[in-house]
Amino acid sequence: GVGPGCTDETLLSAIASALHTSTMPITGQLSAAVEKNPGVWLNTSQPLCKAFMVTDEDIRKQEELVQQVRKRLEEALMADMLAH
């Protein structure tokens, strides 16, 4: 996160808000001036984070992680059912 008083919670809230209120891509802040701009909280079109890119490789890694977690959950649920 960037900007005055930005915490993990405010960053998550800003990204969630941007995802739910706009169909525009989230690119983050492109200027270092955000650190000194007291009105930065008024522009909700982009969350207070540094500019970033999500690549196909990032998406593939996340999909793999989700599959691994789903598999572990399935195994845990099966073990629980067998135990009862």
Side-chain angles (χ1 to χ4, degrees), residues 23-63:
T23 57
M24 299 296 295
I26 296 175
T27 59
Q29 300 295 326
L30 302 174
S31 168
V34 69
E35 292 286 344
K36 297 178 183 177
N37 182 355
V40 73
W41 297 102
L42 300 176
N43 179 5
T44 58
S45 64
Q46 290 297 327
L48 296 177
C49 61
K50 295 177 183 173
F52 61 91
M53 292 287 295
V54 177
T55 65
D56 288 340
E57 179 67 13
D58 294 329
I59 294 169
R60 188 190 60 73
K61 286 180 183 177
Q62 284 299 314
E63 288 173 342

Side-chain angles (χ1 to χ4, degrees), residues 7-29:
T7 64
D8 289 346
E9 290 80 17
T10 56
L11 177 59
L12 181 59
S13 178
I15 291 173
S17 177
L19 286 170
H20 284 81
T21 60
S22 176
T23 57
M24 299 296 295
I26 296 175
T27 59
Q29 300 295 326

Side-chain angles (χ1 to χ4, degrees), residues 28 53 68 73:
M53 292 287 295
Q68 292 170 5
L73 177 59

